[in-house]
Amino acid sequence: MFAKIRALYVDTLDLKLEIEAIKKKLSHQSQNIELVFNYLEELMDKKDDKTPRKTIGFKTKDD
Protein backbone atom coordinates (compact mmCIF):
# COMPACT_ATOMS: atom_id res chain seq x y z
CA MET A 1 0.00 0.00 0.00
CA PHE A 2 2.77 2.43 0.94
CA ALA A 3 4.61 1.72 -2.31
CA LYS A 4 1.50 2.54 -4.36
CA ILE A 5 1.02 5.84 -2.52
CA ARG A 6 4.69 6.72 -2.96
CA ALA A 7 4.57 5.90 -6.68
CA LEU A 8 1.47 8.06 -7.05
CA TYR A 9 3.23 10.92 -5.24
CA VAL A 10 6.31 10.64 -7.45
CA ASP A 11 4.17 10.62 -10.60
CA THR A 12 2.28 13.66 -9.35
CA LEU A 13 5.51 15.47 -8.53
CA ASP A 14 6.91 14.77 -12.01
CA LEU A 15 3.71 16.06 -13.56
CA LYS A 16 3.86 19.25 -11.48
CA LEU A 17 7.47 19.85 -12.54
CA GLU A 18 6.60 19.37 -16.20
CA ILE A 19 3.64 21.74 -15.90
CA GLU A 20 5.86 24.39 -14.30
CA ALA A 21 8.39 24.03 -17.12
CA ILE A 22 5.62 24.49 -19.69
CA LYS A 23 4.34 27.57 -17.84
CA LYS A 24 7.81 29.14 -17.93
CA LYS A 25 8.10 28.53 -21.67
CA LEU A 26 4.67 30.00 -22.31
CA SER A 27 5.37 33.13 -20.30
CA HIS A 28 8.45 33.79 -22.42
CA GLN A 29 6.48 33.13 -25.60
CA SER A 30 3.99 35.87 -24.84
CA GLN A 31 6.86 38.33 -24.44
CA ASN A 32 8.39 37.18 -27.73
CA ILE A 33 5.07 37.49 -29.57
CA GLU A 34 4.63 41.02 -28.24
CA LEU A 35 8.13 41.89 -29.44
CA VAL A 36 7.36 40.54 -32.93
CA PHE A 37 4.22 42.67 -33.15
CA ASN A 38 6.18 45.75 -32.06
CA TYR A 39 8.71 45.13 -34.85
CA LEU A 40 5.90 44.67 -37.36
CA GLU A 41 4.36 47.98 -36.34
CA GLU A 42 7.73 49.71 -36.77
CA LEU A 43 8.13 48.20 -40.23
CA MET A 44 4.64 49.32 -41.22
CA ASP A 45 5.43 52.85 -40.02
CA LYS A 46 8.63 52.88 -42.07
CA LYS A 47 6.71 51.67 -45.13
CA ASP A 48 4.28 54.59 -44.79
CA ASP A 49 7.20 57.02 -45.06
CA LYS A 50 7.04 58.09 -48.74
CA THR A 51 10.23 60.14 -49.10
CA PRO A 52 11.56 60.07 -52.67
CA ARG A 53 14.52 57.77 -53.16
CA LYS A 54 17.62 58.50 -55.21
CA THR A 55 17.68 56.33 -58.30
CA ILE A 56 20.61 54.01 -58.76
CA GLY A 57 21.98 52.20 -61.76
CA PHE A 58 23.32 53.09 -65.18
CA LYS A 59 23.16 56.80 -65.96
CA THR A 60 23.31 58.36 -69.38
CA LYS A 61 24.98 61.67 -70.22
CA ASP A 62 21.55 63.36 -70.14
CA ASP A 63 21.06 62.58 -66.44
Side-chain angles (χ1 to χ4, degrees):
M1 176 97 177
F2 177 75
K4 288 183 183 180
I5 293 173
R6 183 173 179 182
L8 182 64
Y9 175 74
V10 170
D11 289 341
T12 306
L13 182 63
D14 289 340
L15 242 133
K16 286 182 181 179
L17 291 174
E18 288 181 28
I19 289 172
E20 287 300 319
I22 291 171
K23 282 182 183 179
K24 286 181 184 179
K25 287 181 183 179
L26 289 177
S27 70
H28 294 300
Q29 289 297 334
S30 63
Q31 292 171 352
N32 291 340
I33 290 171
E34 185 176 337
L35 185 63
V36 167
F37 280 116
N38 288 338
Y39 284 139
L40 287 174
E41 285 178 11
E42 287 179 19
L43 287 173
M44 288 173 56
D45 290 341
K46 285 182 182 180
K47 187 177 180 182
D48 291 340
D49 186 20
K50 299 289 183 182
T51 57
R53 296 174 59 185
K54 181 179 176 183
T55 58
I56 60 171
F58 181 76
K59 296 182 182 180
T60 61
K61 290 183 181 182
D62 296 336
D63 288 342

